[in-house]
Amino acid sequence: MIRMVNTLILLFLLYSGPACLQPNDTNTAASKQDISNAADSGITRMVKPDNAVNKDTALLPPARVIITGNTQPEEVVKFAESLMGTPYVYAATDPGVGFDCSGFITYVFNHFKIAVPRSSIDFTEVGRTVDVAQAKMGDLILFTGTNPAERKVGHMGLVIANTGDSLQFIHSSSGKAMGVTITPLNGYYKTRFVRISRIFPEKG
């Protein structure tokens, strides 16, 4: 009997589906509220493993995929730009109050019913990494926190343009702008740069 129970437990663990991404410990209180709000609006925080999507995503493990549906990058960027000037507020995801960096990204994508992780560090292995030269509108750009010696993701933005000579991204900055602003990938941000994450499927 005991052996049978143990076997059933093992089978359950083996065949359980992928777990939801958990909020970063530093944002636990805010993340719980965000998850509650998401549940109220019917938005979940699940991202699918790369083997659960179409082959045209061309993702490599351990990447995780954000399901963007029929939403186009241009729509997302246009909506993000409509939030310019919203103040920076730590752990906030409400345009009436403000945004932190990941709160801004969460709000923008949730507007289109696209589920995303809540904290910036949870984007570390989301999407396909592309070179800066190949970055385009709708890609996510990930940075360290304000201490570039700590190479963990701690800040993020949304690429709005890349001419080859200049990449620009929109983000909620705790720096001089203290709010949603557009910034070029300059020398300072290059020291903090981690990766470009492509979450939209390739066209073509």
Side-chain angles (χ1 to χ4, degrees), residues 3 11 30 32 44 50 62 79 97-99 107-108 111 120 140-141 153 158 178 202:
R3 181 176 296 176
L11 288 172
K32 285 180 179 177
T44 64
D50 62 316
F79 181 68
V97 176
F99 301 114
Y107 182 80
V108 168
H111 175 77
S120 57
L140 298 174
I141 185 166
V153 173
L158 179 69
M178 276 301 290
E202 300 283 355

Side-chain angles (χ1 to χ4, degrees), residues 53-180:
V53 297
N54 296 333
K55 62 184 179 181
D56 61 356
T57 55
L59 294 170
L60 298 174
R64 294 294 181 267
V65 178
I66 291 173
I67 306 303
T68 56
N70 295 322
T71 303
Q72 299 301 308
E74 295 81 3
E75 299 175 80
V76 174
V77 168
K78 183 177 180 180
F79 181 68
E81 291 177 333
S82 75
L83 299 166
M84 285 279 291
T86 304
Y88 178 91
V89 176
Y90 178 72
T93 60
D94 180 351
V97 176
F99 301 114
D100 65 4
C101 67
S102 55
F104 172 61
I105 297 298
T106 295
Y107 182 80
V108 168
F109 280 92
N110 281 183
H111 175 77
F112 296 95
K113 307 299 182 187
I114 298 173
V116 295
R118 170 60 185 93
S119 61
S120 57
I121 196 168
D122 287 335
F123 283 86
T124 301
E125 293 177 345
V126 167
R128 180 167 67 88
T129 298
V130 297
D131 292 337
V132 171
Q134 303 302 316
K136 59 186 181 182
M137 178 184 292
D139 289 342
L140 298 174
I141 185 166
L142 308 181
F143 301 96
T144 68
T146 53
N147 180 1
E150 295 182 6
R151 299 309 299 173
K152 295 186 298 184
V153 173
H155 186 64
M156 64 188 305
L158 179 69
V159 175
I160 64 169
N162 186 11
T163 63
D165 296 324
S166 175
L167 182 152
Q168 293 188 315
F169 60 97
I170 187 167
H171 61 137
S172 184
S173 171
S174 61
K176 185 177 179 181
M178 276 301 290
V180 176

Side-chain angles (χ1 to χ4, degrees), residues 143 155 169 171 173 183-193:
F143 301 96
H155 186 64
F169 60 97
H171 61 137
S173 171
T183 304
L185 182 58
N186 54 29
Y188 170 66
Y189 278 103
K190 285 179 180 177
T191 66
R192 294 174 54 188
F193 175 78

Side-chain angles (χ1 to χ4, degrees), residues 4-76:
M4 182 180 295
V5 170
N6 288 340
T7 301
L8 289 173
I9 292 172
L10 178 60
L11 288 172
F12 174 79
L13 292 174
L14 286 173
Y15 290 98
S16 293
C20 292
L21 291 175
Q22 297 300 311
N24 192 338
D25 289 341
T26 58
N27 290 328
T28 300
S31 298
K32 285 180 179 177
Q33 183 60 49
D34 294 332
I35 291 167
S36 173
N37 292 342
D40 291 342
S41 63
I43 300 172
T44 64
R45 303 232 175 259
M46 181 76 78
V47 291
K48 293 186 178 181
D50 62 316
N51 60 5
V53 297
N54 296 333
K55 62 184 179 181
D56 61 356
T57 55
L59 294 170
L60 298 174
R64 294 294 181 267
V65 178
I66 291 173
I67 306 303
T68 56
N70 295 322
T71 303
Q72 299 301 308
E74 295 81 3
E75 299 175 80
V76 174

